[in-house]
Amino acid sequence: MTDWPPADPTDATAIADERDKWVAAVRDHAGQIAYQLARLEGGDYGQRAVETDRGEWTVKYEAGDLEYLRFDPSRGDAVYVVSTKQPPEPGPLAEALADYDAFVAGFNDYVDSLDGLYDDIPTSFPDVAPTDGIVAERDRILGEVREVCDRIAAELHRYEGGDYGSYATRVADDRWELKWEADRASYLRVGGSNGLYLLSQYQPPAAADIREYAPQFREFVGAYNDHVAELEADLEPIEL
């Protein structure tokens, strides 16, 4: 049996400190690459791989900051030179650092390859066609629909009482529903709960939808008038 206690373990503090110094330096430098990538690719998140003779580097960024830098050597296991987890082992780190200059050169070559990318793009563009006419026509049609729906809402409010109500009928196999509040129409919807709002308190429908359903609005009004006529027929004269 050998003498006890054995020799003290070698102090690894110096090597660990040296490793941490290199990792910090690479983090600062590769962080500039991450920032440039974020600007170039126009997003908060992304990554790019750069190939070298010895392997492949992957730089990933988040919100413009370096998230990790990984080196995949042609032989051997990948090493995260910079990451949010534990630092790399000294041996794999040294192997990666030996190729770091090639990684930076590869990234610079990528950026240089984009130089002149926009040279042949014209700086003048065709005039944009105004939409004033079609918007005015849309607003005119919807304004007339709104006026009629408000009149219907006022009549239903007067007849049924209460502050809220609705009238629904079918036109061309579609369910049309007019929802009213007091004497004003809240919405006119075509096609059930997931249908198209021909009138609403939000944005107007698309031009194609107005083109399809506005002509059918006359049938909706006709159905309402028939509904009123039926109600009037139910009111028989009363003799005292």
Side-chain angles (χ1 to χ4, degrees), residues 90-114:
L93 174 63
E95 180 182 357
L97 291 178
D99 194 55
Y100 185 77
D101 284 351
F103 156 64
V104 177
F107 172 77
N108 290 341
D109 288 343
Y110 164 67
V111 175
D112 291 342
S113 71
L114 302 177

Side-chain angles (χ1 to χ4, degrees), residues 25-38 64 66 100 107:
V26 172
R27 182 188 299 276
D28 290 342
H29 189 271
Q32 300 176 49
I33 295 177
Y35 173 74
Q36 296 298 335
L37 272 177
L66 178 66
Y100 185 77
F107 172 77

Side-chain angles (χ1 to χ4, degrees), residues 14 25 42 57 63 93 114 119 135 138 143 162 165 171 177 187 207 209 231 238:
W57 291 79
L93 174 63
L114 302 177
D119 288 352
V135 169
R138 177 198 68 194
V171 175
E177 181 182 17
Y187 65 73
D209 293 326
L231 293 177
I238 299 176

Side-chain angles (χ1 to χ4, degrees), residues 163-205:
D163 293 330
Y164 306 93
S166 66
Y167 166 72
T169 188
R170 299 197 71 84
V171 175
D173 296 327
D174 288 319
R175 185 179 188 274
W176 287 57
E177 181 182 17
L178 172 65
K179 183 72 177 291
W180 53 269
E181 179 178 348
D183 57 354
R184 180 173 174 80
S186 298
Y187 65 73
L188 177 63
R189 185 175 63 202
V190 183
S193 59
N194 294 321
L196 167 78
Y197 286 84
L198 196 58
L199 284 182
S200 76
Q201 58 181 323
Y202 303 108
Q203 64 186 32

Side-chain angles (χ1 to χ4, degrees), residues 119-132:
D119 288 352
D120 297 330
I121 296 179
T123 57
S124 60
F125 303 100
D127 293 336
V128 177
T131 60
D132 298 11

Side-chain angles (χ1 to χ4, degrees), residues 35-230:
Y35 173 74
Q36 296 298 335
L37 272 177
R39 292 191 61 201
L40 184 62
E41 299 186 359
D44 290 334
Y45 308 91
Q47 67 180 39
R48 173 158 293 277
V50 176
E51 294 187 0
T52 66
D53 292 340
R54 296 186 182 185
E56 182 180 80
W57 291 79
T58 302
V59 53
K60 185 175 182 181
Y61 60 90
E62 179 175 345
D65 295 329
L66 178 66
E67 185 172 4
Y68 69 69
L69 178 65
R70 186 182 68 231
F71 176 57
D72 293 274
S74 301
R75 294 182 180 180
D77 297 329
V79 54
Y80 283 83
V81 179
V82 177
S83 75
T84 58
K85 301 178 181 179
Q86 65 186 34
E89 296 182 4
L93 174 63
E95 180 182 357
L97 291 178
D99 194 55
Y100 185 77
D101 284 351
F103 156 64
V104 177
F107 172 77
N108 290 341
D109 288 343
Y110 164 67
V111 175
D112 291 342
S113 71
L114 302 177
D115 187 32
L117 182 66
Y118 305 112
D119 288 352
D120 297 330
I121 296 179
T123 57
S124 60
F125 303 100
D127 293 336
V128 177
T131 60
D132 298 11
I134 187 65
V135 169
E137 185 66 6
R138 177 198 68 194
D139 293 346
R140 181 190 67 81
I141 294 172
L142 292 181
E144 294 180 2
V145 172
R146 163 66 68 184
E147 181 180 354
V148 174
C149 286
D150 284 347
R151 288 167 54 193
I152 294 175
E155 293 296 331
L156 290 172
H157 173 58
R158 183 174 63 86
Y159 174 77
E160 297 186 6
D163 293 330
Y164 306 93
S166 66
Y167 166 72
T169 188
R170 299 197 71 84
V171 175
D173 296 327
D174 288 319
R175 185 179 188 274
W176 287 57
E177 181 182 17
L178 172 65
K179 183 72 177 291
W180 53 269
E181 179 178 348
D183 57 354
R184 180 173 174 80
S186 298
Y187 65 73
L188 177 63
R189 185 175 63 202
V190 183
S193 59
N194 294 321
L196 167 78
Y197 286 84
L198 196 58
L199 284 182
S200 76
Q201 58 181 323
Y202 303 108
Q203 64 186 32
D209 293 326
I210 296 176
R211 173 72 178 178
E212 179 178 0
Y213 291 110
Q216 299 177 23
F217 180 65
R218 296 178 62 88
E219 299 180 44
F220 169 76
V221 177
Y224 166 76
N225 288 338
D226 291 343
H227 172 66
V228 172
E230 292 175 1

